[in-house]
Amino acid sequence: MKYLFIMVCFVCSIFGQAQQTQNPWKDSQLMDPALLASRIVKHKTKDLLIISVGPEAIIKGSVDIGPTHEPENLEKLRNYLKDIPKNKEIVIYCGCCPFVKCPNIRPAFNLLMEMGFKNAKLLNLPKNIKTDWLDKDYPTND
């Protein structure tokens, strides 16, 4: 029984490491939704670029790029960002589904890293945009 427990821990450890390598962001690059909502409400987003890389730009003030799992939208994001300063604070989000299943956030975040953006963040919407933003009555692009 002890060996079975050790094997399960070992397998979970390997799986956990594999999951970490799949995510191109660090925990420090996740932005809490409450923080972003507060900045929007307090009009403190002048130096912040909010980009939707999913099906719809729901968050107030966000730019709609479209789902970045589609090559044409990933290219649209690249073109949109080409003249943006590399130190600009950028927050991307999708929210179509849980992070582990989202087809859009990894290509978009990888592109930000590839283009050399130093202050890129991913909005921490682990479940989806409805649960993690809309249900909390955070600001939207009505």
Side-chain angles (χ1 to χ4, degrees), residues 49-80:
L49 179 57
I50 308 167
I51 302 175
S52 171
V53 296
E56 187 178 354
I58 292 173
I59 295 175
K60 185 173 184 160
S62 61
V63 175
D64 188 10
I65 294 296
T68 53
H69 73 275
E70 297 173 4
E72 62 272 14
N73 289 331
L74 194 59
E75 191 59 29
K76 181 178 173 183
L77 178 61
R78 180 185 304 279
N79 288 332
Y80 184 82

Side-chain angles (χ1 to χ4, degrees), residues 23-39:
N23 294 336
W25 58 86
K26 301 173 189 145
D27 286 345
S28 62
Q29 292 172 304
L30 292 173
M31 179 178 276
D32 185 80
L35 174 61
L36 180 59
S38 172
R39 287 180 67 180

Side-chain angles (χ1 to χ4, degrees), residues 45-125:
T45 57
K46 179 182 161 209
D47 298 324
L48 174 65
L49 179 57
I50 308 167
I51 302 175
S52 171
V53 296
E56 187 178 354
I58 292 173
I59 295 175
K60 185 173 184 160
S62 61
V63 175
D64 188 10
I65 294 296
T68 53
H69 73 275
E70 297 173 4
E72 62 272 14
N73 289 331
L74 194 59
E75 191 59 29
K76 181 178 173 183
L77 178 61
R78 180 185 304 279
N79 288 332
Y80 184 82
L81 294 171
K82 69 181 177 189
D83 296 323
I84 303 292
K86 300 301 183 208
N87 61 348
K88 177 86 170 171
E89 185 177 13
I90 299 173
V91 177
I92 63 167
Y93 73 95
C94 177
C96 69
C97 57
F99 274 174
V100 294
K101 295 180 181 179
C102 184
N104 300 308
I105 55 177
R106 285 169 189 80
F109 200 87
N110 281 330
L111 178 63
L112 289 169
M113 295 298 96
E114 174 190 311
M115 292 181 75
F117 285 95
K118 308 278 187 251
N119 205 0
K121 303 242 188 303
L122 172 62
L123 189 61
N124 193 4
L125 302 173

